[in-house]
Amino acid sequence: MTPKRTESIREGKSKILYRTDKPDTVIQYFKDDATAFNAQKKGSIKDKGPINNGVSTSVFKFLEKNGVRTHFLEKLSDREMLCRSLEIIPVEMVLRNKATGSITKRLGLEKGMPFSPPLVEFFYKSDALGDPLIGEGHIAYLKWASKDELNQMIETTLKVNTLLRPVFKEIGLELIDFKLEFGKDKSGNLYLGDEFTADGCRLWDLKTGESMDKDRFRQDLGKVDETYLDVSERLQNYFKGKL
Ligand SMILES: Nc1ncnc2c1ncn2[C@@H]1O[C@H](COP(=O)(O)OP(=O)(O)OP(=O)(O)O)[C@@H](O)[C@H]1O
Ligand SMILES: [Mg+2]
């Protein structure tokens, strides 16, 4: 029997999380809503829900195939993904291959400055505080994750980068940076959670350098709907027959 969603647990900016009639699982329902700058800018992107559900599904399947433990269990419908229920660790892992966005302002770095090896940063997941940058010391001191868990999170984040960079290159895009969330199941096993979509990463066109991600929405660059669809179609074509 296909699991059905029951009551909602929480509504976030881009997804609604539901309990289900299957133990230890949740459903992520992907909305078309788009926000930026800690929800100061609000809008919607045509078909973003189904597009992001599809992209995340393919990326998670690909990562699982390559030894990354994710919360993904099954795509249930256009907008619904069945996942393992996790207690999300309140630390956003951000990996940067090149400088852009907040780090350029924070540290006065030039946009496009390469980080080789990639840079991994940590942010405290708190809308109320505007997701502030934190260090390893805060994570240990406030017991958000153990040393071992944090090491696993860093290692997995680097592995995701190693796996996905060539995929995006193959479809004409450079993976500039991305954000990941991790969580633990009842037994304390660590999984990659949440999503991997053009909302949470930056992709630059290899030929033109144009942004092919949520920066089009953030900066009013136009062709937002078209870009989400374009990236999704390229990825789905690439993954066809491979997953
Ligand atoms: N497997 C999971 N189990 C439990 N919670 C999850 C799981 N995967 C993702 N989540 C959480 O579900 C929510 C998804 O909603 P959304 O991404 O719209 O939130 P958000 O507006 O980004 O807010 P937040 O700051 O809480 O991430 C997030 O809080 C995310 O951390
Ligand atoms: Mg989110």
Side-chain angles (χ1 to χ4, degrees):
M1 271 253 296
T2 311
K4 296 266 178 317
R5 64 186 204 226
T6 55
E7 76 273 28
S8 72
I9 303 169
R10 68 183 308 270
E11 175 155 7
K13 296 182 290 289
S14 64
K15 302 188 288 299
I16 308 173
L17 203 67
Y18 291 93
R19 263 184 251 288
T20 81
D21 53 8
K22 188 177 175 206
D24 304 322
T25 67
V26 290
I27 287 174
Q28 294 201 101
Y29 177 94
F30 288 76
K31 303 188 285 181
D32 292 344
D33 299 356
T35 63
F37 313 116
N38 199 19
Q40 285 170 46
K41 182 181 167 113
K42 290 193 177 112
S44 92
I45 296 172
K46 188 175 180 290
D47 296 332
K48 181 164 83 75
I51 287 172
N52 280 1
N53 190 21
V55 166
S56 257
T57 292
S58 298
V59 169
F60 283 147
K61 280 187 180 171
F62 170 75
L63 293 175
E64 283 279 353
K65 265 196 116 164
N66 288 280
V68 176
R69 266 202 320 214
T70 81
H71 69 160
F72 175 83
L73 292 170
E74 194 186 343
K75 185 179 172 199
L76 295 177
S77 70
D78 251 20
R79 291 179 184 270
E80 294 172 308
M81 179 193 284
L82 183 72
C83 303
R84 289 171 209 279
S85 175
L86 302 178
E87 189 188 327
I88 294 289
I89 292 171
V91 175
E92 300 192 342
M93 306 288 292
V94 170
L95 182 143
R96 301 182 186 277
N97 290 306
K98 282 189 174 169
T100 189
S102 67
I103 198 171
T104 58
K105 292 187 205 100
R106 198 186 332 123
L107 302 178
L109 304 179
E110 197 171 326
K111 181 177 173 185
M113 182 194 133
F115 295 115
S116 184
L119 175 69
V120 179
E121 293 183 322
F122 318 113
F123 295 85
Y124 176 41
K125 250 175 77 67
S126 163
D127 281 343
L129 300 175
D131 297 343
L133 177 75
I134 52 174
E136 289 197 28
H138 303 100
I139 298 171
Y141 198 88
L142 297 165
K143 297 195 167 59
W144 288 326
S146 69
K147 185 80 199 139
D148 181 53
E149 285 161 358
L150 182 62
N151 283 340
Q152 277 186 63
M153 285 157 67
I154 295 170
E155 220 172 273
T156 306
T157 302
L158 291 167
K159 180 167 179 175
V160 167
N161 187 50
T162 306
L163 288 168
L164 290 181
R165 263 177 112 177
V167 170
F168 283 109
K169 192 170 176 199
E170 200 62 35
I171 60 169
L173 300 169
E174 186 177 5
L175 180 59
I176 301 298
D177 60 27
F178 60 84
K179 185 262 293 184
L180 299 179
E181 292 183 21
F182 291 84
K184 289 188 283 182
D185 69 5
K186 272 187 190 160
S187 316
N189 300 308
L190 193 72
Y191 290 90
L192 175 61
D194 205 49
E195 62 175 67
F196 191 102
T197 67
D199 278 359
C201 72
R202 289 194 175 87
L203 301 164
W204 290 356
D205 189 284
L206 272 171
K207 285 201 198 100
T208 64
E210 255 193 302
S211 285
M212 300 290 284
D213 52 62
K214 202 164 88 174
D215 275 351
R216 300 204 74 83
F217 170 78
R218 288 190 190 95
Q219 299 165 19
D220 295 318
L221 299 176
K223 292 199 180 155
V224 182
D225 305 345
E226 294 86 340
T227 300
Y228 270 72
L229 186 62
D230 180 10
V231 169
S232 156
E233 283 178 350
R234 290 196 218 179
L235 258 186
Q236 303 303 9
N237 272 336
Y238 171 83
F239 282 130
K240 203 171 283 167
K242 293 193 179 76
L243 300 174

